[in-house]
Amino acid sequence: MIALSALTALAAFLVSGAQAHGGVTSWSIGSTTYPGWQPYLPASQQSVTAGRPYTSYDPILNPTASTIHCNDDGNAGPNPTSININPGDTIIGHYPQWTHAEGPVTVYLAACNAANCNGVNSGTVKWFKIAEQGLISGTLAAGSWANGILMANLQWPAKIPTNLKAGAYLLRMETLALHQANTPQFYPECVQLIVGGSGTALPPAAYQVSIPGAWTATDPGVMVDIYGDAAKTQTTYVIPGPRVWSGFTGIDIPGGSK
C-alpha cells in the first residue's frame, strides 16, 4: 500500500508538473547517496537531510529576490544534518528533471563559521564561487550551454577545493535558465557540508559576495535575449557573479571545461 504522504506528494507534483522545471533532490559522493530536500513534501514529512528547504521546482524571476541565496528564507529544515566531505572530493547534485538547455550553472561555497550550519541563515553569509560553466560553443542563439549538459545528465558535479580550510560550509548549486527573452529564471539549491582535511585556504574578500547583491537585473549575463539579432552572431557570454576563486583544481564536467 502506498503511504498517504507519498500520495500527497505525488498529487502535488502532478498538479504542478506542467509548470515544473527542476531542482536538486539528492546529493552523492562516490557511491553514497544522501537525501536532499523534497520540495513537494511538507516540512513535517521531510527526512533527516543536509539539503536546505525549498518549496517547488518553479524559478525565482527577480534577480535580487530576498530568497535567491538558497531559494528559501535562509533557515535550515526541521531535521538538519551535514554531509562529511574532504577537500578534493566531488559532490554531485541530482535532479529528477530539468527542461531548459540554455544558460549557465554555477557553484558557490560559504563558510558558516560555526561547528555546523544548522543555525546559520544563508542570507547572512559571504559566498565565493568555486566553479562555473556557461556558453560552451556556438552562439547565444544556437550554441551549446551548461544547462544542456544538465538536461542530458540530470546531475552536476562540484569538486571541493583541494586546499580549502576545514569547517562547516553551505554549498550553493544554481542553474540560470535563459530560454525566455529578457526573463532570467534562477534555480538555486543549497546543502550543508562539513569539510575535513588539513587545508587552510579561504578566498580573499575580493572574491566574497552577498547573495542577493552579487548581480543585478541589468547585468549582461542576467538580462539576455537569445532570440534577438545580436544573439545570432554573439559567441561570448559573461556569467553573473564574482570571479571563480582560483585556489582549487576545478570540477569535472562531461562535455565541457570550467
Side-chain angles (χ1 to χ4, degrees):
M1 180 178 294
I2 301 175
L4 179 60
S5 61
L7 289 172
T8 301
L10 177 61
F13 177 83
L14 291 174
V15 167
S16 60
Q19 299 299 320
H21 308 276
V24 180
T25 55
S26 65
W27 304 84
S28 66
I29 302 172
S31 60
T32 303
T33 298
Y34 303 88
W37 191 264
Q38 308 304 310
Y40 294 100
L41 278 179
S44 61
Q45 297 178 23
Q46 298 285 338
S47 62
V48 175
T49 175
R52 282 295 179 103
Y54 67 106
T55 59
S56 78
Y57 292 155
D58 294 334
I60 296 173
L61 299 176
N62 179 356
T64 58
S66 62
T67 58
I68 204 166
H69 35 81
C70 286
N71 202 0
D72 61 8
D73 65 1
N75 297 313
N79 301 302
T81 187
S82 299
I83 297 173
N84 292 312
I85 193 168
N86 289 316
D89 285 351
T90 294
I91 183 169
I92 298 175
H94 297 269
Y95 295 69
Q97 64 180 56
W98 184 250
T99 56
H100 309 304
E102 301 84 11
V105 180
T106 56
V107 184
Y108 288 81
L109 286 173
C112 289
N113 298 315
N116 57 58
C117 295
N118 291 0
V120 176
N121 187 289
S122 59
T124 66
V125 296
K126 291 293 186 179
W127 297 91
F128 53 97
K129 188 188 290 182
I130 63 168
E132 63 181 15
Q133 181 73 51
L135 181 64
I136 297 168
S137 63
T139 65
L140 296 188
S144 174
W145 292 84
N147 270 344
I149 296 173
L150 176 59
M151 190 167 71
N153 296 337
L154 296 181
Q155 62 181 38
W156 198 264
K159 187 173 183 179
I160 301 301
T162 56
N163 54 349
L164 184 66
K165 182 179 179 180
Y169 292 85
L170 289 170
L171 182 142
R172 177 181 185 273
M173 188 169 286
E174 179 191 83
T175 61
L176 170 54
L178 301 175
H179 62 287
Q180 290 186 346
N182 298 316
T183 309
Q185 298 185 1
F186 293 85
Y187 302 81
E189 279 85 45
C190 296
V191 64
Q192 299 186 171
L193 304 178
I194 300 293
V195 176
S198 56
T200 59
L202 283 173
Y207 288 86
Q208 301 188 44
V209 297
S210 296
I211 300 177
W215 51 80
T216 69
T218 59
D219 286 8
V222 173
M223 203 60 61
V224 179
D225 181 2
I226 65 168
Y227 306 105
D229 288 340
K232 296 175 183 178
T233 58
Q234 185 174 337
T235 58
T236 59
Y237 170 76
V238 180
I239 298 173
R243 293 176 295 160
V244 172
W245 180 41
S246 61
F248 76 121
T249 58
I251 64 174
D252 299 320
I253 300 175
S257 59
K258 183 177 70 67

